[in-house]
Amino acid sequence: MYSDAENAALYDMLNAWGPSDDFYLDLVMAAESVLDVGCGTGVLLHRARENGHRGRLVGLDPDRAALDRARARDDVDWVVGTAASARWDREFELAVMASHAFQVFVTDDDLRASLTAIRAALVDGGRFAFETRNPLPRPWERWTPDNAVELVDPGGRHIRVFHRVESVVGDVVTFSETVATPAGEPLRVDRTSLRFLPPDALDSFLGAAGFAVEARYGDWSRGPLTPTSREIITVARRV
């Protein structure tokens, strides 16, 4: 009842440009070649071109509907695939994973394979920037129907979007996202699992994959990471 194309358009409405995008855009504009892993609808790379980036920009995502929207610009290379499936070899100065996309790596094997492929895509000394939600404030406890968002979608329909946690097993949280009518009739239900790793675990995986952490922040103004920070923002370098 609610198509992939409609859901991709809704994603852009629910995730308007904000401080996190400004953070990544600064990094992108300073790099000659950029790989956006989990690029979604391509908003970040679109903005980079609009701001005058003249180098190589590549967006990678497994979601074909999202990439259909991204292809509104043809001066960026859009590639269907996962991080682990990437086969670039020393081609990018920078790789980014925005919008908490890093958290989709819920198994050790997937995380290791993805980090290995991302590192291989970077030139020597190339940087990888990403963020994850800090597990200490337990943000998933706020993912409830009581915190639903009500809006008019791109097709002109009044809808409610809400989340419901289904399980918390170790550091993996599984939850549903429901798009519903104002009366609560479900139009679409998607289920997702995300992994909430603390900094020491992140650093262990990064180190094993051949990265060294260059910078770590707790907010998009580059403030320090604290126990109450909502984000764990990491910039790592290929070594």
Side-chain angles (χ1 to χ4, degrees):
M1 297 177 65
Y2 207 82
S3 72
D4 287 351
E6 290 170 323
N7 210 45
L10 177 62
Y11 178 87
D12 283 344
M13 289 190 67
L14 292 171
N15 297 274
W17 189 273
S20 64
D21 303 290
D22 289 329
F23 176 90
Y24 286 112
L25 183 62
D26 285 346
L27 296 176
V28 171
M29 296 304 294
E32 177 63 25
S33 51
V34 181
L35 173 64
D36 186 352
V37 184
C39 65
T41 59
V43 171
L44 177 62
L45 299 186
H46 285 187
R47 184 67 65 92
R49 282 290 189 234
E50 291 164 4
N51 282 20
H53 194 290
R54 298 186 181 279
R56 183 185 183 193
L57 299 177
V58 178
L60 174 69
D61 202 286
D63 188 330
R64 293 178 182 272
L67 287 182
D68 284 344
R69 289 183 63 82
R71 291 189 176 104
R73 292 195 72 103
D74 60 6
D75 53 0
V76 176
D77 293 329
W78 306 106
V79 180
V80 178
T82 63
S85 69
R87 293 295 180 268
W88 289 286
D89 184 14
R90 291 181 171 86
E91 297 185 37
F92 300 95
E93 293 179 11
L94 173 71
V96 300
M97 286 194 78
S99 303
H100 306 107
F102 188 91
Q103 292 185 250
V104 303
F105 304 140
V106 296
T107 69
D108 288 357
D109 287 346
D110 192 21
L111 179 52
R112 291 188 184 108
S114 300
L115 287 174
T116 296
I118 292 169
R119 180 185 183 278
L122 292 170
V123 299
D124 292 340
R127 295 193 295 173
F128 173 39
F130 65 94
E131 92 281 355
T132 68
R133 297 174 182 88
N134 186 359
L136 290 180
R138 302 176 65 84
W140 58 86
E141 293 181 347
R142 298 185 292 276
W143 298 350
T144 68
D146 291 340
N147 292 317
V149 175
E150 298 188 7
L151 72 161
V152 178
D153 77 359
R157 286 173 291 190
H158 290 265
I159 59 171
R160 297 178 74 242
V161 181
F162 58 88
H163 301 90
R164 179 179 283 111
V165 173
E166 298 184 352
S167 67
V168 180
V169 180
D171 53 22
V172 176
V173 177
T174 299
F175 64 99
S176 63
E177 178 181 83
T178 300
V179 179
T181 66
E185 178 186 0
L187 301 173
R188 180 186 178 105
V189 179
D190 292 294
R191 287 177 174 80
T192 304
S193 293
L194 298 177
R195 193 173 189 182
F196 289 76
L197 289 173
D200 57 344
L202 287 171
D203 293 350
S204 178
F205 280 109
L206 288 167
F211 287 101
V213 174
E214 181 179 277
R216 166 124 332 120
Y217 309 110
D219 61 51
W220 299 111
S221 298
R222 293 176 170 79
L225 176 65
T226 71
T228 59
S229 298
R230 296 178 62 182
E231 307 287 352
I232 303 172
I233 304 162
T234 303
V235 180
R237 188 176 293 275
R238 170 176 169 152
V239 295

